Amino acid sequence: QVQLLETGGGSVEAGGSLRLSCTGSGYPGFSRFCMAWFRQSSGEEREVVAAIDSGSTTIYADAVKGRFAISRDNVRKTMSLQMNNLRSDDTAIYYCARAWTGGCGNLGAPAIGYWGQGTQVTVSS
C-alpha cells in the first residue's frame, strides 16, 4: 500500500534550522504526483506550507516564503523541506502529502490522496 514516511522533526531554538524528509513507497510513478508539506498547530486547521508539482514548480505559503525550501528527488522517491530561520509560530505537526494529480493548484485537503503520519517540529523562543 501507499506509504509516506517522514523523518527529521525535532526541537530547535528560534532562528535555527531543520530539514524534513519524506519517502514515498508502494506506488509507481513518484515523479508524476504533486507532493506537499502541510502543518497543523494546536487548535488550528491543517494548512499547506509548500508544494512541488510534477515539473518541480514550487509554491509556498506567504508565512514561509524566503525561509523554507521544498525539493524532490524522483530517483530516490523523496521530498524534502529545508526550514531556516525558524520562528515559534512554525511549531506544529508537519505532514507529508501526495496529491491525486501532478498539479498543485487548489491544494486543499480534497486534493490529497495520501498523508504521512506527521512529525513534530517545536521551535522555542
Side-chain angles (χ1 to χ4, degrees), residues 5-69:
L5 180 63
E6 300 118 333
T7 58
S11 297
V12 66
E13 293 186 352
S17 299
L18 283 173
R19 185 176 181 87
L20 306 181
S21 291
C22 171
T23 301
S25 63
Y27 64 97
F30 179 88
S31 64
R32 298 204 306 260
F33 298 97
C34 166
M35 300 293 295
W37 290 98
F38 284 71
R39 67 185 180 188
Q40 187 168 19
S41 53
S42 180
E44 301 292 330
E45 292 187 357
R46 195 172 295 190
E47 62 178 3
V48 62
V49 175
I52 184 165
D53 70 13
S54 58
S56 293
T57 297
T58 58
I59 59 171
Y60 295 94
D62 287 344
V64 306
K65 282 181 181 176
R67 301 188 298 123
F68 290 12

Side-chain angles (χ1 to χ4, degrees), residues 6-7 19 23-24 29 70 77 89 94 96 105 124:
E6 300 118 333
T7 58
R19 185 176 181 87
T23 301
I70 189 171
K77 299 184 179 181
D89 59 358
Y94 284 70
C96 172
S124 58

